[in-house]
Amino acid sequence: MKQKVTLKIIAKEFDVSISTVSKALKNSNEISEEVREKIKAYADYYNYKPNSLALQLRAQKTSVIGVIIPEIVHHFFSTVIDGIEEHANKRGYNVMVCLSNESFEKEVSNISVLTNGSVDGVIVSIARETQKKEDYNHFEMLLKDGFPLVLFDRIVDSLKCDKVIIDDIGGGFKAANHLLEIGSKRIALLTTEDYITVGALRKVGYRKAMQSAGLEVDEDYVFKINDTKNLYRQIEKIFHLEKVPDAILAVNEIYAAIAMKIAIEKGYKIPEDIAVLGFTSGLISKFTSPPLTAITQHGYLMGQQAAELLINRIEHTGPKEFQKEVISTGIKIRKSTYIGE
Amino acid sequence: MKQKVTLKIIAKEFDVSISTVSKALKNSNEISEEVREKIKAYADYYNYKPNSLALQLRAQKTSVIGVIIPEIVHHFFSTVIDGIEEHANKRGYNVMVCLSNESFEKEVSNISVLTNGSVDGVIVSIARETQKKEDYNHFEMLLKDGFPLVLFDRIVDSLKCDKVIIDDIGGGFKAANHLLEIGSKRIALLTTEDYITVGALRKVGYRKAMQSAGLEVDEDYVFKINDTKNLYRQIEKIFHLEKVPDAILAVNEIYAAIAMKIAIEKGYKIPEDIAVLGFTSGLISKFTSPPLTAITQHGYLMGQQAAELLINRIEHTGPKEFQKEVISTGIKIRKSTYIGE
DNA sequence: TATCAACACGAAAACGTTGTAGTGAATCCA
DNA sequence: TGGATTCACTACAACGTTTTCGTGTTGATA
């Protein structure tokens, strides 16, 4: 690459000092009209732009925020990043994305790389492996130094920092309630293993809804799916129950889509025989047949909120106490639970 | 935030010079065992990490690569980023993602921000608006300075730089050919407007396949969809043709899924009456019913290649001449074109 | 006792920028 | 003519590193 033009080079060109060039380019009236103009012309011609590293080093501020997510090939996380970007840009920040790939080690190393001065703060959604290990030392180190940190979606309560979460309990409740309202009696729950908070919380909501309808939660109707094994085979077990459920509540859209597919193959009519409802994070729900009723998650909003909290923390605007924002879910009713029309 | 510990601070603490501290931490044997150990212990305790801005400024190298994509909420682009990240990390680089949101202005400003020293090179997929305007000045400026730039997917041939593209012509050919092989005679094409290169190229492939089968391309069977208007209404026009096609080739999975949905509503059987095939970039194809046969795109591989080209360019490994890598497509045959078990 | 090497450390430049605090010359006022 | 003021510019520190080139002290050697 060609030498980038710097103040020094321009200064040498016109045989003036570096300060003169700097001031001329900033239109300071300490510098004569004449000198100013020729320097600006030269800088313009050679497309001078101040080196941001130098600026950042001097200002002790990068105007970059780091984001660490478990994976990017996931519609929900993409929407969150989109929201972060939008808000960050509006406030003059850029975004640096790192992926943990659900790995503890990679998360730790990402944190380490990002917090060595390259960013003013970080937003993170914790990796699975970290949640399983329950080792949050890398975060605690940051917080001890007062480094701006915002956790979203996959959070841990014990860490003293700003957080943004989806109202998963509310979502689970809303989901189960909808099924109860359309008359379902035996609602099967397709959820994740317990250590995955999101699944666990949605289950809590489901349980709450069942109880407030005066129904017992039969643990035989709760299926904890292991993502690393064959999904079809695990989900199919729903249909081995003595009394096949009249509704299925899945904590994500993949499980829901698969359950629906199996149900149809087995000759059940949806929603007449079995109603199906999922939590959506992508486009699948819209294109299954029948289209899937789903709890919607507003990742974009979540990203915006996270960015806002972080930048407020960085700039010391906003409250001193740590915030915990809760993003409420929506429900998009489609044909998989809706008879009539 | 608390003051970060620096060499200077440690130096003051032990009343030695900054150089001594720097050398001690690097285990230089210029420094006595004793001094070395106490400095290392202190640094360790206070979690000293060299400031990367300072390192980067000094080394005139950031080990960061910038990526500008039109949007992130798009499975294809996510997979590309994933691939970029993977390769970049392997070679010691970090990734900074910016979104152009298909806007020319934002693309220009992203380029400007990234190339002021914050990254060693950029990978970009050009925004729609830029392609429509045909204004590539911001890229030409970079190339004039020899700044490392890799274009992927949405490229422009006139720019002298490394490129990675999907073999869209081949994909279109492969798609049409598959339909011809299963006996389709009247293949409708659902494509984008002409200025979108990807759609245009896939059409070329479609045309080639038709011609090599000795068939004329009837322009009435080519539908150019405008993404900003109502998709259903535009796609429905397929079924207003005098002779309804016996196959539909869509240049993306959304169009394909919608076409299939409309066909089913109108009582056609898929694939018996009409076979449907799309280009996939997400998970939709897998979960429609019937599942959609699709040309697959290998975004991950594309990302890896792009990163490899870029880093080779940055580090002057690899050939001097600009490369144009072509990623070939695959085809995943599912029930939407496949009769029989 | 003069010479030299080894040892253990410090000074300073460089990366590119900004802003404060000079500085020398011209101009002004009385 | 002497002092103050304005003008147009320069020097320098600072941000945090690394690295090259000193430099003073010690101990050994001839």
Side-chain angles (χ1 to χ4, degrees), chain A residues 17 19-20 23 30 32 35 58 60:
Chain A
S17 77
S19 341
T20 304
K23 286 172 184 164
E30 270 185 71
S32 69
V35 175
R58 192 182 140 85
Q60 295 288 80

Side-chain angles (χ1 to χ4, degrees), chain B residues 242-257:
Chain B
E242 247 181 83
K243 281 198 148 185
V244 168
D246 57 0
I248 298 174
L249 196 178
V251 299
N252 64 50
E253 63 184 354
I254 304 274
Y255 296 176

Side-chain angles (χ1 to χ4, degrees), chain A residues 41-180:
Chain A
Y42 184 94
D44 210 50
Y45 182 76
Y46 287 103
N47 196 25
Y48 168 80
K49 284 180 220 143
N51 179 299
S52 28
L53 289 181
L55 290 178
Q56 291 171 19
L57 179 60
R58 192 182 140 85
Q60 295 288 80
K61 167 154 183 60
T62 65
S63 291
V64 176
I65 69 189
V67 179
I68 303 176
I69 50 173
E71 45 171 340
I72 199 166
V73 186
H74 194 302
H75 190 269
F76 174 68
F77 286 120
S78 303
T79 58
V80 175
I81 293 202
D82 211 10
I84 293 176
E85 253 267 338
E86 194 272 342
H87 186 87
N89 278 189
K90 209 166 63 189
R91 297 189 54 183
Y93 286 73
N94 270 84
V95 176
M96 186 146 172
V97 178
C98 295
L99 310 182
S100 66
N101 285 320
E102 305 284 11
S103 138
F104 172 76
E105 208 179 329
K106 189 120 191 274
E107 182 175 281
V108 172
S109 104
N110 279 334
I111 283 284
S112 174
V113 168
L114 288 180
T115 57
N116 289 342
S118 16
V119 301
D120 292 341
V122 293
I123 298 178
V124 6
S125 186
I126 300 178
R128 286 262 153 92
E129 205 187 337
T130 309
Q131 288 192 307
K132 214 165 181 174
K133 260 185 108 144
E134 298 186 19
D135 181 346
Y136 307 118
N137 224 279
H138 46 310
F139 297 123
E140 266 147 13
M141 296 280 281
L142 287 188
L143 297 174
K144 210 186 61 192
D145 291 344
F147 190 92
L149 167 69
V150 173
L151 254 29
F152 77 92
D153 197 45
R154 311 235 203 108
I155 68 167
V156 11
D157 275 320
S158 64
L159 290 170
K160 301 265 175 292
C161 65
D162 294 303
K163 296 165 192 130
V164 189
I165 51 169
I166 297 282
D167 178 14
D168 282 306
I169 297 184
F173 186 85
K174 199 176 279 184
N177 227 32
H178 171 68
L179 292 172
L180 291 167

